[in-house]
Amino acid sequence: MNSTLSYLTRKKGGKKLGLTDVLSYVYLISGVVIMFGPILWLILSSFKTSGEIVKFPPRFLPYRQQTAVVEGYPEPLPLYSVTLADGTTQTLAQVRRVGLEAQLVDPVNPGNLIKVNINQRQPLESVYFGLENYKEGIESFNFGLYLWNSIVVTVTATLLTLLVNSMAAFALSKYKFRGRQTIFMVMISTLMVPLSVVLVPVFLVITNVGWNNNLLGIIVPAAATPTGVFLLRQYMLTIPDELIDAARIDGASEWRIYSQIILPLAKPALAVLTIFSVMWRWNDFLWPLIVLSRSEYFTLQVGLASFQGELNVQWNLILAMTVLTLLPITFIFGLLQENITTGIATTGLK
Amino acid sequence: MFLLTKTKQVSNLFSRAFSPLYEFFVAILDMLFGIIQRLVGVRGMPYVFVLPNLLIFGIFILFPMLLNFLYAFTGGSSFLPLERPWVGPANFERLLLCENYLEPRTCSEDLFWRAIYNTIGYVFFQVALMVLFSLLTALILNRNLKARGFFRGVFFYPVLLSPIVVALIWKWILQENGLINGILTSLGRDKIPFLVNAQWAQILIILISVWAFMGFYTLILLAGLQSIPADLYEAAALDGANAWQSFSRITMPLLMPTMVVVLVLSLIRAVQVFDIVFAFTGGGPGTATLYLVQYIYNYGFSSPNKQFGLAAAASLLMAGVLIVLTVIQMLAQREEN
């Protein structure tokens, strides 16, 4: 026992676990509970049936009443554990309930009907992770369409962002031309003004272009992000100019230099921008909310917001859809955690 | 290691599936840009490269910003700039006129002042808690502990969630028959109407934002901590410094520039709080969680009598504050570099 404890508390360099270490672990473990607890609760709740989900106090795991197919009855019947008059308990299937009286049959021998008070029966339940909420939510909420819209927006917007920003960053970092400083300064200065303060005029512009209720209205406007240009330009500045001069002597066109030399060398910066762009677009809410008012163009985020605004909130379905919404981001995070965290730490962006 | 090979497999799969498509795309652009280069010459090419970005940027970012000024100085309810009568600074006067500035009720635009005071309260407590918790977490994660990568990931994960998802998760936990009230009841306490009570709504919005964003600032602070050279600590230990001394004499002074960046960044974000609140309380109950961007949004988009002039004027005032904050941040970052 003592040796296990000393093994567990052993540290690098043979030092013992101190009070600060213990406090640190306590802090981190409560951090796990606070940060992950709500998400775990969301996931567990998303498997609960509509009856189970409104129960108070709520139970931790999703339960479902066991059922059995009994001869002579077309539907599966719910199973109960019944205390009979002679004091024994038996598993019976309920046929119907009339007021305070429940009518049950023995699933093995369904011949005779047993009538008991409803207080004498306890539902037989088992932990059950069923996908009913997910299926029903996808069907009734148009989830498939919203998912498709979100994917279209995220993928095309990210590709467009990468192309447009890297071209501009290439020009701003590798050429000397009139107006370069001005263009760069204007872009950088708009970094300060967030989208949220120009909502009205942006909406006017989008309406005049005719992109109201059009996915283009959310794909194109944010593609020219000054942040992206800045990030890529800073990286491209570190690529030596000699490479470009050598290519030019070999007769490469400017586009070739950009696509065959600069882009491959700027891969790390492009990867960071890709991750950011996917994150921004997948989670974007304010802009789609303004641009899209017809539900067939909704993205997942706008769709989710509109479900929860409905009068009759069907929590079991909404929670299942919420879980589906955060799956892709979670998957990407699982694969690329290292890249994401170092990318953010080095650029200070989100 | 498993993840690493997985990532490689996934990216290989992607590149194999998309490379013909990509090659085709590149070949077409190659031809197109070849023709363009013959037309404009090498000296014209940089303009061609910045053009797409500049067009989108000009139309959808720069032009709207200039248009905002026009809106702010015109009145009426028309959406089209040319149909709006010039009113000079009337919108600003209406926003800023108050008999007693501490009493929003006496202002001509009481909701604006209500939103300002709400935002100030939110910003103050949110930023304080945010800096405190992310600093504490970063300091702990910087220690030589087991499973550091895992813990870092756990604290960062909520940053990736969309505001709607964050709001839904917490609404579900805090609703009348939710998890927290379930725990309270089983402890023999009364339920708390978290989502209906104005004060609770204000407190919860602050706590939820800290929950959602602190991982981001933790990462920045952690990077700052890791850039402090380890031999400084070794030298201090040789000189007989205790833990507190090396913290207050080495860690804090060297972390200061990063702290300023985190402080200003979180200030800028906090002033613009909108989407989480929009999805969580919608500004209510009453006007308890009505913040500035929501005020602008309400006048511009959701209220029946849209007043674009007021919304634009309010957004200009806010932009002024944000620009001041950003300049401070840039100065701080220059200091850091």
Side-chain angles (χ1 to χ4, degrees):
Chain A
M1 181 65 210
N2 230 339
S3 63
T4 352
L5 194 70
S6 71
Y7 172 74
L8 284 174
T9 56
R10 199 167 57 192
K11 278 184 61 181
K12 247 187 224 166
K15 279 187 217 154
K16 291 270 285 194
L17 200 69
L19 179 66
T20 11
D21 294 309
V22 174
L23 286 178
S24 299
Y25 280 117
V26 168
Y27 179 89
L28 290 177
I29 288 163
S30 21
V32 173
V33 172
I34 291 168
M35 293 319 224
F36 257 1
I39 292 155
L40 184 67
W41 181 243
L42 164 79
I43 294 169
L44 288 173
S45 302
S46 76
F47 290 104
K48 291 179 177 173
T49 60
S50 52
E52 168 80 16
I53 207 156
V54 292
K55 265 205 185 116
F56 187 84
R59 286 187 289 187
F60 193 62
L61 291 168
Y63 287 92
R64 201 182 60 156
Q65 187 158 19
Q66 291 176 3
T67 56
V69 183
V70 179
E71 217 181 308
Y73 298 93
E75 297 282 311
L77 299 174
L79 289 176
Y80 286 88
S81 154
V82 182
T83 317
L84 295 170
D86 56 4
T88 56
T89 51
Q90 204 182 342
T91 303
L92 296 175
Q94 177 173 296
V95 179
R96 68 178 74 82
R97 181 186 151 181
V98 185
L100 288 177
E101 185 190 80
Q103 302 181 351
L104 308 108
V105 291
D106 190 337
V108 192
N109 176 22
N112 58 327
L113 214 57
I114 304 161
K115 294 177 183 177
V116 297
N117 186 289
I118 55 164
N119 292 328
Q120 280 170 281
R121 70 189 189 11
Q122 289 294 322
L124 265 184
E125 291 174 318
S126 57
V127 176
Y128 176 75
F129 288 89
L131 293 175
E132 284 83 358
N133 290 336
Y134 289 83
K135 254 161 88 184
E136 203 188 329
I138 288 173
E139 280 158 15
S140 63
F141 274 158
N142 247 337
F143 184 86
L145 182 65
Y146 300 162
L147 178 71
W148 175 246
N149 287 339
S150 269
I151 292 173
V152 168
V153 169
T154 306
V155 172
T156 50
T158 300
L159 289 178
L160 189 67
T161 306
L162 287 175
L163 179 72
V164 167
N165 286 355
S166 64
M167 279 167 66
F170 172 52
L172 290 173
S173 63
K174 290 294 168 213
Y175 293 96
K176 289 200 168 61
F177 58 99
R178 275 177 78 96
R180 184 181 71 157
Q181 288 296 334
T182 324
I183 292 172
F184 189 63
M185 284 318 289
V186 170
M187 275 187 186
I188 293 303
S189 59
T190 56
L191 273 178
M192 297 181 202
V193 186
L195 169 69
S196 50
V197 301
V198 286
L199 288 178
V200 176
V202 166
F203 182 65
L204 171 84
V205 171
I206 289 178
T207 314
N208 277 348
V209 178
W211 281 353
N212 229 340
N213 273 320
N214 188 328
L215 290 185
L216 281 175
I218 41 179
I219 293 171
V220 178
T225 145
T227 328
V229 176
F230 184 67
L231 181 82
L232 293 175
R233 175 187 172 268
Q234 297 308 93
Y235 193 86
M236 287 178 186
L237 283 176
T238 64
I239 298 173
D241 288 341
E242 288 76 18
L243 284 176
I244 297 174
D245 295 335
R248 243 180 232 141
I249 291 166
D250 288 346
S253 70
E254 301 305 303
W255 172 260
R256 247 172 203 272
I257 293 172
Y258 158 76
S259 63
Q260 310 282 332
I261 297 175
I262 299 294
L263 279 193
L265 287 174
K267 252 187 190 166
L270 289 171
V272 171
L273 184 61
T274 309
I275 293 167
F276 281 134
S277 174
V278 168
M279 237 165 73
W280 289 332
R281 295 325 186 97
W282 189 262
N283 289 340
D284 196 10
F285 175 61
L286 188 53
W287 202 308
L289 180 74
I290 290 165
V291 177
L292 311 170
S293 56
R294 297 235 304 268
S295 70
E296 64 258 43
Y297 299 113
F298 278 2
T299 57
L300 277 180
Q301 311 299 338
V302 183
L304 269 186
S306 78
F307 303 153
Q308 61 126 7
E310 280 168 17
L311 219 53
N312 220 335
V313 183
Q314 287 174 286
W315 274 107
N316 57 324
L317 303 187
I318 288 182
L319 296 179
M321 296 305 97
T322 310
V323 172
L324 284 185
T325 310
L326 56 84
L327 272 187
I329 287 284
T330 311
F331 181 70
I332 293 175
F333 181 59
L335 281 182
L336 303 172
Q337 192 197 335
E338 235 13 75
N339 308 34
I340 296 176
T341 44
T342 48
I344 286 175
T346 48
T347 57
L349 296 174
K350 193 205 126 187
Chain B
M1 199 53 218
F2 167 75
L3 270 181
L4 209 69
T5 48
K6 255 283 168 302
T7 324
K8 273 214 182 103
Q9 277 171 14
V10 169
S11 73
N12 279 344
L13 206 73
F14 268 108
S15 50
R16 223 175 302 151
F18 288 110
S19 70
L21 204 76
Y22 177 76
E23 303 274 303
F24 176 72
F25 189 64
V26 166
I28 292 215
L29 285 176
D30 212 6
M31 239 161 62
L32 184 73
F33 278 89
I35 296 168
I36 294 175
Q37 189 173 340
R38 237 166 286 150
L39 289 176
V40 300
V42 175
R43 303 185 124 250
M45 282 311 277
Y47 295 100
V48 176
F49 278 115
V50 279
L51 190 67
N53 193 72
L54 223 50
L55 268 181
I56 300 176
F57 176 78
I59 294 172
F60 293 104
I61 299 179
L62 201 59
F63 178 61
M65 278 181 188
L66 300 176
L67 211 57
N68 217 23
F69 283 94
L70 194 65
Y71 272 108
F73 289 100
T74 52
S77 59
S78 171
F79 192 50
L80 298 169
L82 293 178
E83 287 174 17
R84 299 172 57 82
W86 182 262
V87 293
N91 286 323
F92 291 96
E93 277 166 13
R94 196 173 143 197
L95 283 177
L96 297 175
L97 206 68
C98 272
E99 277 172 32
N100 175 0
Y101 284 95
L102 295 174
E103 268 299 323
R105 256 175 301 151
T106 64
C107 299
S108 58
E109 201 42 57
D110 59 334
L111 284 181
F112 179 67
W113 285 90
R114 183 75 63 198
I116 286 186
Y117 286 124
N118 283 347
T119 310
I120 291 174
Y122 170 85
V123 167
F124 180 79
F125 288 107
Q126 197 252 38
V127 170
L129 287 178
M130 189 79 87
V131 171
L132 182 75
F133 278 111
S134 42
L135 178 64
L136 190 61
T137 313
L139 284 172
I140 289 176
L141 285 176
N142 195 38
R143 295 168 55 83
N144 186 15
L145 299 172
K146 281 181 189 129
R148 253 172 53 179
F150 166 75
F151 286 119
R152 194 183 57 185
V154 165
F155 279 95
F156 181 72
Y157 180 71
V159 175
L160 299 170
L161 303 180
S162 82
I164 299 300
V165 169
V166 170
L168 273 173
I169 289 175
W170 284 101
K171 242 177 151 170
W172 173 238
I173 288 174
L174 294 161
Q175 54 133 343
E176 203 203 336
N177 291 327
L179 178 65
I180 304 287
N181 273 330
I183 294 172
L184 284 177
T185 320
S186 66
L187 292 175
R189 303 280 194 86
D190 287 336
K191 285 185 188 177
I192 298 174
F194 290 110
L195 300 173
V196 192
N197 180 303
Q199 227 134 38
W200 271 112
Q202 287 174 332
I203 295 170
L204 287 168
I205 284 289
I206 292 170
L207 294 180
I208 292 171
S209 329
V210 173
W211 179 84
F213 304 132
M214 69 172 274
F216 173 67
Y217 301 106
T218 304
L219 274 189
I220 296 180
L221 286 172
L222 197 57
L225 283 173
Q226 278 162 358
S227 69
I228 299 175
D231 41 345
L232 282 181
Y233 292 105
E234 283 159 20
L238 281 180
D239 289 346
N242 60 28
W244 169 250
Q245 280 169 331
S246 65
F247 173 75
S248 61
R249 300 283 168 81
I250 299 173
T251 312
M252 276 331 274
L254 288 176
L255 195 61
M256 239 349 158
T258 321
M259 284 287 286
V260 175
V261 170
V262 164
L263 188 73
V264 181
L265 221 54
S266 61
L267 264 177
I268 293 173
R269 294 261 170 82
V271 173
Q272 296 178 62
V273 58
F274 175 71
D275 27 24
I276 285 190
V277 187
F278 181 84
F280 188 68
T281 63
T287 55
T289 54
L290 176 77
Y291 302 117
L292 267 173
V293 175
Q294 173 118 38
Y295 173 86
I296 296 169
Y297 174 85
N298 284 354
Y299 263 127
F301 296 97
S302 77
S303 98
N305 56 332
K306 297 188 170 65
Q307 304 222 24
F308 299 126
L310 270 189
S315 70
L316 282 182
L317 292 175
M318 196 174 120
V321 175
L322 289 171
I323 286 173
V324 171
L325 288 175
T326 315
V327 170
I328 297 175
Q329 182 212 349
M330 286 185 163
L331 292 178
Q333 237 156 2
R334 184 173 299 172
E335 195 112 310
E336 186 184 21
N337 293 335

